Amino acid sequence: EVQLVESGGGLVKPGGSLRLSCAASGFTFSSYSMNWVRQAPGKGLEWVSSISSSSSYIYYADSVKGRFTISRDNAKNSLYLQMNSLRAEDTAVYYCARASGAAAGDNWFDPWGQGTLVTVSS
Amino acid sequence: SYVLTQPPSVSVAPGKTARITCGGNNIGSKSVHWYQQKPGQAPVLVIYYDSDRPSGIPERFSGSNSGNTATLTISRVEAGDEADYYCQVWDSSSDHQVFGGGTKLTVL
C-alpha cells in the first residue's frame, strides 16, 4: 500500500524555524517527484514546493521562496521541508503528495499524506 | 501568474447532475486535475488529464476541458459526494503548480 506520513509540525514563534518530514512507503520513492501543499484553517489548497526525483529540479511558491527549502533523501525514502523565518500566515496543515512522474512539472498529485499542522504564534 | 477561478459553492439535489467549473486563460491548452476533499481528510484525486478517472473513482465522475473552462461533472449525485472540490494545473511560464480556490458541493 502506498503511504505518506508527515511529521514535525507544531507550535513555533514568529521568526522561528521548523523542519517537516514525510516518510514514504509502498512504492519506489526515487522514481517520483514529490510536493508540499498547505491549507490554512478554513482556506483552500496552496502549492508550496516541488522537487524532482533526483533533486535536479526544485520549485517554490513565491510566498515561501527564500524562506523554505525542500529536500529529499532517496536512500531513506523521505521528503523534507525546512521552514525558516516563519510568519503567522504560514499557519496551515502541510501535506506531502506524490507526483505522477519523475519530473517536477506537469503532474497530478496522488496520493496525499494525512498532513501535519504548523501553527505560528507568539 | 496563472489564476484558476472556481465558484465558491454549488448545490444539487440527490440523483441530479452537478457541474463544477474551473476557469483560466486558455485552460484548454493545459492538463487539468481535480481533487475531492471531505472535512478533516486529505484531498483525493478524482480526475486527471482533464477526463481520466483513477481506479476506485466511480464512473459518475467525469471531466472536460476546452477554451477557457474546465468542468468536473458528477452524475447521479449522492450524499457522500458532499465535499470541497479543487482544480489544479501546471503553469509552465512560472514553473508553478496552481490550485483553484475550491468549490463546496452541497447535496440538498
Side-chain angles (χ1 to χ4, degrees):
Chain A
E1 177 195 5
V2 175
Q3 196 169 14
L4 298 170
V5 179
E6 302 93 337
S7 60
L11 175 64
V12 61
K13 289 182 168 54
S17 298
L18 212 55
R19 189 196 196 205
L20 306 184
S21 299
C22 173
S25 60
F27 65 100
T28 305
F29 181 73
S30 59
S31 296
Y32 293 87
S33 62
M34 296 295 295
N35 307 270
W36 288 100
V37 179
R38 68 184 181 183
Q39 187 170 35
K43 302 298 184 182
L45 302 174
E46 179 188 14
W47 169 74
V48 173
S49 183
S50 300
I51 185 169
S52 63
S53 60
S54 61
S55 303
S56 297
Y57 294 91
I58 289 175
Y59 306 114
Y60 295 100
D62 295 345
S63 58
V64 307
K65 194 168 187 178
R67 300 188 299 123
F68 290 10
T69 302
I70 192 172
S71 63
R72 64 190 295 162
D73 186 335
N74 287 344
K76 295 183 178 179
N77 291 340
S78 293
L79 174 73
Y80 306 101
L81 186 68
Q82 177 66 43
M83 304 185 296
N84 298 332
S85 303
L86 283 162
R87 307 166 180 167
E89 53 265 37
D90 295 318
T91 294
V93 173
Y94 285 73
Y95 296 99
C96 71
R98 187 185 72 174
S100 49
D106 198 354
N107 291 303
W108 60 88
F109 301 160
D110 181 51
W112 299 55
Q114 86 289 350
T116 187
L117 176 62
V118 172
T119 303
V120 184
S121 175
S122 55
Chain B
S1 60
Y2 195 78
V3 176
L4 295 175
T5 301
Q6 297 183 235
S9 62
V10 167
S11 298
V12 64
K16 299 299 186 182
T17 298
R19 294 179 180 85
I20 298 172
T21 59
C22 176
N25 184 35
N26 197 25
I27 195 174
S29 66
K30 300 180 182 297
S31 297
V32 180
H33 319 297
W34 291 91
Y35 303 88
Q36 175 193 69
Q37 186 181 33
K38 296 182 179 179
Q41 298 183 18
V44 172
L45 178 73
V46 293
I47 292 289
Y48 64 98
Y49 275 158
D50 299 339
S51 59
D52 289 342
R53 262 188 331 274
S55 60
I57 300 300
E59 291 183 7
R60 301 184 296 102
F61 287 79
S62 63
S64 63
N65 184 19
S66 178
N68 293 317
T69 304
T71 303
L72 172 68
T73 301
I74 309 172
S75 305
R76 303 180 299 283
V77 166
E78 303 174 355
D81 297 331
E82 192 162 278
D84 294 325
Y85 292 85
Y86 297 89
C87 56
Q88 173 243 325
V89 302
W90 167 251
D91 178 28
S92 57
S93 64
S94 63
D95 289 337
H96 281 31
Q97 299 284 358
V98 181
F99 284 96
T103 298
K104 181 176 180 59
L105 176 67
T106 299
V107 181
L108 301 171

